[in-house]
Amino acid sequence: MASGGSVIAVKYDGGVLMAADTLLSFGSLAKWPNIPRIKIIGKHTAVCASGDYADFQEVCKDLEEGEAADQLIADGIEKTPEELFSVLHRTIYGKRCEFKPAMCKFIVIGSTGKNEDFIGAVDDIGTKWTANCVASGYGAHIAIPELRKALENHNNSLTRDQALAVVTDCLRTLFYRECRAINKFQIADASNGKVVISEPTILETQWEFDGFAVKPFTA
C-alpha cells in the first residue's frame, strides 16, 4: 500500500495555507519521492490526505466527476469549499457504513473570495471537524501545538508571512521526527477565490545538533 504522510493547514488573515511533502511510502520504504499529493477540486477548493494514496485518488475521482456533472448543467452555480467538504464527508461516511472505508484522513481548504476562507478535516470513519488549524498523520501530534501557539500569540490573525513561517517550521520538525517524511514539499494557498499550489520546494535542514550528530568514539 502506497501511503502519504502528514498534512498541515492553517488560516491566515485573508486565506488558508496547506502543506504536504511529496513522498509516498511503501510500508517503511520511502519509495516514490516526487508525487504531488495536493489536488484542486473545482475552482475554489483543494484536498490532501494522509494514508492510502489509492483511496485518496478514488475519492478525488468521485469529487471531480461530481464537479464535471455540475458543469454540464451550466446553471452558473458552483459548490463552495464548505459544500464540497460536506460531499466528501458523506462519501467517506458512506464508505465506512458499507465496510469499505477509505483509509485516509482528509484535509480540505478553500476560498470563495468573499472573506469566507474554509478549512476542515474528515477521518476514515467519517468524523468531521473544522478549526483555524488542522493536521493529519504524525503532524496531528507534532504540528498542532506549534500552529495553535502561533495563532494564540497573534489573536488568531496571522499574516501570510507569519503563517508561511510557522508552516515551514512545522514541516522542518516533521522531517526531523517523522520516519515517513522528506524535506521536499508543496504548499497550497487558498485566497481571493482561488487556489494556487506551489512548485515542489526543498526545505533547508540542519543536522549538526547534539541529539542528531554521531560523536566520535574516544577510548
Side-chain angles (χ1 to χ4, degrees), residues 11 29 45 48-49 60 83 93 101 134 146 148 163 165 176 179 181 188-189 199 203 212 214:
K11 280 187 179 181
L29 173 65
T45 310
C48 194
C60 285
E83 289 168 342
Y93 187 74
V134 296
E146 291 191 43
R148 287 176 176 168
Y176 288 147
C179 294
D189 185 354
E199 292 296 320
L203 187 68
F212 296 150
V214 177

Side-chain angles (χ1 to χ4, degrees), residues 65-145:
E65 288 177 349
E67 283 294 290
D70 287 347
Q71 291 177 8
L72 290 175
I73 297 173
D75 57 2
I77 299 175
E78 298 175 342
K79 289 189 181 73
T80 65
E82 190 169 1
E83 289 168 342
L84 267 173
F85 178 69
S86 181
V87 172
L88 172 64
H89 168 244
R90 302 315 302 170
T91 300
I92 299 303
Y93 187 74
K95 287 179 174 291
R96 172 256 182 124
C97 291
E98 294 173 357
F99 296 95
K100 298 177 181 178
M103 301 304 294
C104 303
K105 181 182 285 185
F106 292 84
I107 292 179
V108 177
I109 67 168
S111 172
T112 61
K114 302 175 182 177
N115 294 322
E116 297 178 356
D117 304 315
F118 179 81
I119 179 172
V122 184
D123 66 14
D124 58 337
I125 61 173
T127 303
K128 68 173 182 176
W129 65 97
T130 60
N132 288 329
C133 62
V134 296
S136 62
Y138 200 53
H141 305 281
I142 297 295
I144 284 293

Side-chain angles (χ1 to χ4, degrees), residues 214-219:
V214 177
K215 296 181 179 179
F217 174 77
T218 57

Side-chain angles (χ1 to χ4, degrees), residues 2 35 48 50-51 59 67 75 82 103 150-151 167 169 175 183-184 188 193 208 210 212 215-216:
I35 305 298
C48 194
S50 299
V59 171
E67 283 294 290
D75 57 2
E82 190 169 1
M103 301 304 294
L151 287 166
V167 165
D169 286 342
F175 175 60
N183 63 334
K184 187 176 183 179
E208 299 303 318
D210 288 342
F212 296 150
K215 296 181 179 179

Side-chain angles (χ1 to χ4, degrees), residues 3-55:
S3 60
S6 298
V7 184
I8 59 176
V10 64
K11 280 187 179 181
Y12 66 88
D13 188 14
V16 188
L17 294 181
M18 177 168 65
D21 67 19
T22 59
L23 175 68
L24 288 185
S25 299
F26 189 79
S28 59
L29 173 65
K31 189 168 180 62
W32 298 281
N34 298 299
I35 305 298
R37 294 167 46 213
I38 302 174
K39 290 192 176 292
I40 295 176
I41 307 294
K43 295 181 179 179
H44 312 293
T45 310
V47 183
C48 194
S50 299
D52 189 344
Y53 191 67
D55 285 347

